[in-house]
Amino acid sequence: MTAMLLFFIASCFLATHQAHVIYRCDLAKLLKEEDLDGYEGYSLSDWICLASVESDFNISKVNENVDGSYDYGIFQINSHHWCNDHISHSENICHIDCKDLLTTDLIGAINCAKKILSKGEGMRNWARWKLHCEGRPLSYWITGCRLK
Ligand SMILES: *[C@@H]1O[C@H](CO)[C@@H](O)[C@H](O)[C@H]1NC(C)=O
């Protein structure tokens, strides 16, 4: 009985971890396949640095802001401007339900991030990218990744 229970708890723990976090190089590969290396002038390393500082590669991260809006997913996209979560007042510029920014294929998150980049300020839209990634040597973010 106890062993069964422990097994159950252990598998839940493993399952949630696998579902939430993507490995750095797997993310690099996926973003490359989606043609984001060089997109709007940003390198793959910029993208990986962005995902690291925003979500620590947690695909399902949701974070509440002081203004009552929420940030969603691997790029922590904000509900006030970009997606609709039916809680915060939203412009919903990406025309997407915020929960679709949390899928493991990252398609929603990638398409919305591309839209954000097209709005002039580029990755400067992300305060943490500006603070931790902009103008820094970033190539080590893709070190050791096999990218063809
Ligand atoms: C990922 O984010 C979700 C939602 O914010 C959280 O419940 C979960 O604990 C996080 N996972 C890790 C490994 O930080």
Side-chain angles (χ1 to χ4, degrees):
M1 185 67 177
T2 314
M4 277 286 280
L5 191 61
L6 280 176
F7 178 73
F8 179 68
I9 293 167
S11 36
C12 287
F13 186 73
L14 285 175
T16 47
H17 269 249
Q18 273 162 5
H20 290 168
V21 178
I22 186 168
Y23 287 109
R24 177 179 62 92
C25 286
D26 289 342
L27 178 63
K29 205 171 152 222
L30 199 153
L31 296 177
K32 176 141 197 183
E33 280 163 11
E34 294 298 322
D35 261 343
L36 290 184
D37 193 6
Y39 187 85
E40 297 274 344
Y42 293 95
S43 68
L44 218 44
S45 297
D46 283 304
W47 287 96
I48 305 297
C49 187
L50 175 67
S52 172
V53 298
E54 285 293 345
S55 67
D56 205 11
F57 306 116
N58 186 348
I59 289 169
S60 31
K61 182 172 176 186
V62 179
N63 190 55
E64 187 176 3
N65 300 301
V66 283
D67 66 359
S69 66
Y70 287 80
D71 293 332
Y72 288 86
I74 191 151
F75 303 129
Q76 289 291 281
I77 291 173
N78 183 264
S79 62
H80 185 64
H81 299 291
W82 308 105
C83 64
N84 185 9
D85 63 2
H86 313 282
I87 306 169
S88 2
H89 165 75
S90 179
E91 297 173 60
N92 193 10
I93 296 171
C94 288
H95 302 294
I96 193 169
D97 195 307
C98 295
K99 71 174 179 330
D100 293 332
L101 298 172
L102 306 176
T103 60
T104 48
D105 63 10
L106 300 182
I107 294 307
I110 287 170
N111 285 335
C112 189
K114 284 166 93 169
K115 187 125 201 179
I116 295 171
L117 284 191
S118 74
K119 294 285 174 191
E121 274 202 279
M123 282 201 188
R124 293 182 155 192
N125 269 293
W126 284 272
R128 298 176 72 84
W129 178 86
K130 243 185 339 189
L131 191 63
H132 302 289
C133 310
E134 185 178 26
R136 300 191 183 226
L138 297 174
S139 59
Y140 66 88
W141 282 109
I142 54 167
T143 301
C145 303
R146 288 159 185 262
L147 306 161
K148 29 176 179 41

